[in-house]
Amino acid sequence: MYEKKIAADIFWIGVNDRTTDLFEGLWPIERTGISYNSYAIKDKKNTVIDLAKAFKTDDFLSQISAIFPLSEIDYIILNHMEPDHTGVIKTLRMLSPDAEILCTQKAVQMLSDYYGITDGIKIVNDGDTLDIGSRKLSFHTVPFVHWPETMVTYDPQTKTLFSCDAFGGYGALHGGLFDDEYPDIEYYEKESLRYYANIVAKFATPVQNAIKKLADVEIECIAPSHGLVWRKSPSRIVELYSKWAEYGKTGGDKGITLLYGSMYGNTEIMMNAVSDGIASTGLIPRTFDVARVHTSYMLPALLVNKGVIVGAPTYEASLFPYMSVILEKAALKNIKNKTAVYFGSYGWSKGALKKTLELTEPLGWEYIETFEFAGGPTQEDIKKGYDLGRKIAEAVS
Ligand code: FEO
């Protein structure tokens, strides 16, 4: 076995997951994978920060053993209780019975609920420190980034922030650990945005609060629990998270996400007319067929772009079902303050527009125009669609 260092006496002991299809049972990662980063600090008191999913447990434990014997772990710091970072704790507790678990008060009940662990726990509060020999680690609560019990751990000696979910991203690691080792950093930034939109977006205000709270902490390295370790440009991932969190208030940048579904091509004809109208202004929409693209890939575009077009027919007196799914996800993830339009075809009953407005009402989307048409669009309808495209493009410019 060999060591993977992030500093002189800090080691990466994570695992890469390249076989799980759906992260959280929801979000596709079959093409990207994900890493569960975990760290070991070899000091007077041997310390492990965050763990991993109960997955490749033998590999995970072997990596700890390469740094120090499992029986010689003094502290296990659990920044966050979600099982992708704690799944191996039951096994580790059996093998390291004397290791003390450090976590926030809110994590204690979760340790019992998930794993039946009720003893050997030390509760840490915001600002507490832990002397492990050559350094004093400090703990900073960041509630709801991602769960209410979450905290981050800071090592003042190396100026490393162990940030758990915060500043994380999808994408398994391919040998290197650090941002400066990857020539395709844009890939990881893009997968960080998808991760943010899928996992963290609901908690935009807690993200902003956490960034504010940590503003005075001198950080030279951000070591999250998913994705790259940011040692060259830790400020880059903070800026990105900050920008994405701000979209919850501003509604996003100039750009349009075009969501559409079509049963027999009539709504698609209108969608093409609307797209042509948008393109005539110099803008190109990000277009998604909601029946064929997973919501995971639509959410980042919805988050980033100020404009949203909902183009979907009525289905059984309600909205085309796959459109309901993405609008429900947008509501769940607090994708707020958009400039929107709706269009769609109906047959024997209307209903899609009513359902669209109902689903997005809590999000403060401003509809600058909506229209439903019976059956196939007339030439007049198509011209209306073209003008509608121009209108929303101008509204978001
Ligand atoms: Fe990566 Fe909220 O767990």
Side-chain angles (χ1 to χ4, degrees), residues 2-260:
Y2 50 87
E3 299 164 345
K4 297 190 85 168
K5 285 187 181 183
I6 70 159
D9 46 10
I10 304 179
F11 305 86
W12 184 89
I13 51 166
V15 290
N16 281 296
D17 184 349
R18 297 188 178 88
T19 52
T20 295
D21 290 334
L22 299 171
F23 184 64
E24 290 187 337
L26 287 166
W27 312 106
I29 54 166
E30 78 278 10
R31 292 181 192 173
T32 60
I34 193 166
S35 66
Y36 310 115
N37 299 341
S38 172
Y39 304 92
I41 307 181
K42 194 172 186 176
D43 210 317
K44 196 169 167 190
K45 299 285 186 185
N46 292 324
T47 303
V48 174
I49 301 178
D50 290 323
L51 303 175
K53 188 174 154 181
F55 164 86
K56 295 186 179 172
T57 303
D58 287 350
D59 289 356
F60 180 75
L61 297 175
S62 299
Q63 291 189 117
I64 300 182
S65 300
I67 313 300
F68 36 67
L70 296 174
S71 58
E72 292 178 18
I73 300 174
D74 295 289
Y75 299 122
I76 298 168
I77 295 169
L78 299 181
N79 281 320
H80 174 32
M81 278 303 301
E82 194 165 5
D84 54 330
H85 308 296
T86 56
V88 300
I89 187 67
K90 235 174 143 170
T91 306
L92 189 56
R93 172 46 71 93
M94 284 188 268
L95 297 168
S96 314
D98 298 328
E100 193 167 34
I101 295 172
L102 285 88
C103 61
T104 61
Q105 171 73 59
K106 286 187 175 144
V108 173
Q109 187 62 45
M110 295 179 184
L111 262 171
S112 171
D113 293 343
Y114 277 103
Y115 306 109
I117 294 175
T118 55
D119 59 2
I121 301 167
K122 181 181 166 62
I123 294 167
V124 297
N125 296 304
D126 189 37
D128 281 359
T129 59
L130 176 73
D131 191 337
I132 61 169
S134 68
R135 76 245 294 160
K136 277 187 185 171
L137 301 175
S138 61
F139 306 106
H140 309 268
T141 55
V142 290
F144 288 102
V145 188
H146 161 220
W147 283 5
E149 87 299 357
T150 312
M151 65 177 187
V152 295
T153 299
Y154 177 67
D155 170 29
Q157 185 161 294
T158 58
K159 299 183 174 56
T160 300
L161 183 73
F162 299 95
S163 61
C164 204
D165 277 354
F167 314 123
Y170 293 137
L173 301 176
H174 303 287
L177 299 174
F178 300 102
D179 54 343
D180 53 276
E181 294 179 292
Y182 284 82
D184 55 344
I185 192 76
E186 295 81 10
Y187 165 82
Y188 283 96
E189 290 186 358
K190 192 175 160 204
E191 286 302 323
S192 293
L193 169 61
R194 187 165 71 94
Y195 170 87
Y196 177 90
N198 293 179
I199 311 297
V200 188
K202 185 177 187 67
F203 308 106
T205 302
V207 167
Q208 289 180 315
N209 291 342
I211 290 171
K212 254 183 249 162
K213 181 174 184 170
L214 298 168
D216 295 332
V217 178
E218 199 182 341
I219 296 169
E220 289 185 359
C221 179
I222 291 182
S225 290
H226 299 294
L228 298 178
V229 175
W230 300 80
R231 74 174 171 193
K232 183 186 173 198
S233 309
S235 59
R236 172 67 182 161
I237 193 67
V238 176
E239 281 161 19
L240 288 173
Y241 261 65
S242 200
K243 181 170 79 168
W244 300 333
E246 190 64 17
Y247 288 149
K249 290 176 186 148
T250 63
D253 294 335
K254 174 181 171 180
I256 295 172
T257 308
L258 197 168
L259 307 175
Y260 85 98

